[in-house]
Amino acid sequence: MSKPIVFLLEPSPGVAERAEQALREEFGAEFQILHEFTTDDALRRLEVLRTQGRHIALLLVAESLVGEEGCGSVDRVADWFPDARRVFYGRDETAPEPPVPGGTTFAARIPDPWTAPHVALFPVLRDLLSDWRPGAQASTPTVQVIGFQWSRQAHEIKDFLARNRVPYVWVDWERETETRRQAEAEGVEVGALPVVRFPDGITLSQPSDGQMAERIGLSTEAESPFYDLIIVGGGPAGLAAAVYGASEGLRTLIIEQEAPGGQAGQSARIENYLGFPEGLSGGDLARRAVEQADKFGVEILAARQVTGLRAEGPYRVISLDDGSELGCHTVLLSTGVAWRTLDAPGCQTLIGAGVYYGAASAEAESFRDQDVYLLGGGNSAGQAAMLLSRYARSVTMLALEETLSERMSQYLLERIENTDNIHTRPCCTIDRATGDGRLETITIRNVKTEEEETVDANGLFVFIGAAPETDWLESVVARDEQGYILCGAALNAEDGNRHGWPLRRDPFLLESSLPGVFVAGDVRAGSVKRVGAAVGEGSMAIQFIHQYLSER
Ligand SMILES: Cc1cc2nc3c(=O)[nH]c(=O)nc-3n(C[C@H](O)[C@H](O)[C@H](O)COP(=O)(O)OP(=O)(O)OC[C@H]3O[C@@H](n4cnc5c(N)ncnc54)[C@H](O)[C@@H]3O)c2cc1C
């Protein structure tokens, strides 16, 4: 099989010669190094490589080419090779930063890189290339998902695979007749759709998350009946706690009902997480965290839901969705929040058939050259709009707010304003959705003028906030009116009510009303709903867990 490619676009012959040689020495064993002097030549060659089915892992563009030409090449590469990492490098640190092309999701600027590439440049490139690999398996046999585009179950399967970072090929039964004929010849019947075909020839019809988890090698059964720490929820808070806990000797199990990574795993690009100045996708963050947890021996159960929690003397007992139980000394609740659903007629029945909740990364490609709508005015809506704009013909953001600046970060707002195919409609909501088996129209209402307009819509992505799903913890731990879990000082109400706290000592900072049960991240009452905060709280919780264990 041909090697994936590192493609260099450098106009200066002297620099190009040095750069190519350095790249070959460093990356030549795994990657083919190609170079062109001009953007036109580069585009011609890239087009040929695309038709040959080759993979571009990294495009390196000299900053002197940034401007219309260089940006054009970067944009084109983003279209042709969506997985390719794109890096500008420059030689003049004092020059003003050039405009980054609209829709470009990553552009690192490394000054004077070829003088000592091992110092500044190669660590960055290595890091980027390690991120690239998981998404670049298309040339190896991949999982195939075969079904109808507007099937909710097919959407859920794609979302599950995407969130578990399993590369798959989507086969639309109605459009891709060749693959369909092949599947039919192999005995796949229309009534069995959606089906998932694995590289080893196993085909699953309408599989559950649990069946898929087993097939893709995720654990669904715990290895031991008892742990020092059981973490419920594998988002950033849970993963951070697991890394700290396991690295400090606690036998640690994470139980995650969907895929490790949590909400952050759905983020197209997190730009404000410390240590990643160019941002990183939620998928990358989740993959790194899972690898790190794995390194320290954390056990992770995926596609398993925790449905109950109780105290049994000094022990805590967790119930799972199949009725089985696991014991432990301590529990961390890091269950985050779940998307709020849109309560407009028609929307519920069209979920997965054109109406999606936070699933932009799994579905973006299906909406190539189509018109999509997005409801919501926060950062998650903004990130999804940027991602969708790379594929869709137009993305219309509908928001209740008068201006997006009310809830969206400035950097994201600027990107949205600079992206031609994103349009915004303030003071709007959706009153109705219609469609026969798939979304066809939505009715938009201006909440100020009360004017209504019904428009054709292929896709509607909904980002209208989130709420904790903690009903299963009712009468187990104290919660506020919205269901967020109280802990630490929040358990001491002014009227002396301690929300059922049973001990003479005060609860630790992140300890819930049930001693030994801790809480971290978005599900905590008063949390700030940021990746950094969730990671910080998850890490801190371990300190209190050690204190709790040492006092017993
Ligand atoms: C699209 C999007 C973009 C975002 N972008 C940014 C950003 O750019 N910067 C930023 O700082 N923040 C961002 N956020 C917010 C950030 O992702 C969250 O603050 C963070 O993920 C919270 O982490 P957490 O671990 O507390 O919870 P979550 O990430 O919500 O994880 C909780 C996990 O618990 C699991 N779970 C829940 N109940 C159970 C149960 N009963 N049994 C088993 N498992 C369960 C869930 O499946 C989930 O995986 C974004 C959020 C979204 C949705």
Side-chain angles (χ1 to χ4, degrees), residues 233 236-237 256-257 262-263 272 306 335-336 380 383 521-522 529-531:
E256 165 55 52
Q257 64 186 4
Q263 295 167 69
N272 52 3
V306 174
T335 51
S380 31
Q383 288 178 1
D522 281 11
K529 318 284 184 292
R530 288 283 182 276
V531 174

Side-chain angles (χ1 to χ4, degrees), residues 25-255:
E25 282 166 12
E26 184 70 14
F27 298 105
E30 297 158 82
F31 298 92
Q32 184 179 359
I33 314 298
L34 297 180
H35 163 250
E36 289 294 345
F37 289 106
T38 69
T39 304
D40 283 349
D41 287 345
L43 286 178
R44 262 193 293 278
R45 194 156 179 193
L46 286 164
E47 189 158 18
V48 172
L49 292 167
R50 182 172 73 122
T51 53
Q52 292 171 343
R54 299 290 301 276
H55 293 290
I56 305 296
L58 178 68
L59 174 71
L60 278 162
V61 182
E63 198 177 282
S64 55
L65 285 174
V66 174
E68 226 162 89
E69 268 191 30
C71 292
S73 71
V74 172
D75 274 345
R76 199 71 65 81
V77 168
D79 276 350
W80 290 345
F81 306 96
D83 284 333
R85 300 303 189 233
R86 288 150 270 150
V87 175
F88 291 120
Y89 61 85
R91 268 156 277 137
D92 180 4
E93 278 182 77
T94 56
E97 188 134 336
V100 168
T104 299
T105 54
F106 194 95
R109 194 165 173 245
I110 302 157
D112 199 11
W114 304 112
T115 308
H118 293 273
V119 176
L121 182 66
F122 289 160
V124 177
L125 299 190
R126 277 245 164 262
D127 200 30
L128 287 173
L129 289 169
S130 78
D131 280 349
W132 175 82
R133 276 187 200 109
Q137 303 299 325
S139 57
T140 60
T142 0
V143 174
Q144 269 188 338
V145 183
I146 309 175
F148 293 105
Q149 171 63 45
W150 308 110
S151 144
R152 178 173 183 165
Q153 215 180 345
H155 160 67
E156 284 168 357
I157 289 171
K158 286 189 279 178
D159 197 40
F160 180 85
L161 291 172
R163 294 187 62 187
N164 279 292
R165 296 165 291 286
V166 176
Y168 65 85
V169 175
W170 164 239
V171 178
D172 186 332
W173 185 259
E174 287 170 314
R175 280 205 203 159
E176 290 173 49
T177 41
E178 190 46 47
T179 324
R180 181 175 86 197
R181 265 197 286 277
Q182 202 185 324
E184 278 172 330
E186 287 168 23
V188 174
E189 290 176 5
V190 69
L193 298 179
V195 298
V196 184
R197 297 209 297 180
F198 292 90
D200 58 5
I202 301 276
T203 299
L204 296 181
S205 166
Q206 303 172 2
S208 65
D209 284 1
Q211 286 173 304
M212 281 194 295
E214 273 171 34
R215 285 293 315 152
I216 62 178
L218 300 173
S219 306
T220 53
E221 298 296 335
E223 284 170 16
S224 153
F226 195 89
Y227 293 83
D228 294 324
L229 167 63
I230 291 183
I231 297 171
V232 188
L239 286 164
V243 166
Y244 277 88
S247 70
E248 292 170 20
L250 298 177
R251 218 147 37 101
T252 305
L253 172 75
I254 296 183
I255 306 174

Side-chain angles (χ1 to χ4, degrees), residues 163 231-239 255-273 304-307 320 334-339 358 379-381 383-384 411-412 463 469 472 520-524 528-535 537:
R163 294 187 62 187
I231 297 171
V232 188
L239 286 164
I255 306 174
E256 165 55 52
Q257 64 186 4
E258 291 171 4
Q263 295 167 69
Q266 298 173 34
S267 171
R269 185 142 295 274
I270 299 166
E271 309 232 19
N272 52 3
Y273 187 55
R304 295 301 304 269
Q305 189 178 39
V306 174
T307 53
L320 290 167
S334 50
T335 51
V337 291
W339 292 108
N379 279 349
S380 31
Q383 288 178 1
Y411 76 89
L412 206 47
F463 295 85
E469 289 189 333
W472 61 280
D522 281 11
V523 73
R524 184 180 64 78
V528 295
K529 318 284 184 292
R530 288 283 182 276
V531 174
V535 167
E537 288 180 19

Side-chain angles (χ1 to χ4, degrees), residues 427-447:
C427 305
C428 281
T429 187
I430 288 175
D431 264 4
R432 224 170 16 260
T434 65
D436 185 10
R438 58 172 283 191
L439 178 70
E440 286 163 15
T441 70
I442 54 172
T443 301
I444 302 167
R445 178 167 54 89
N446 184 307
V447 292

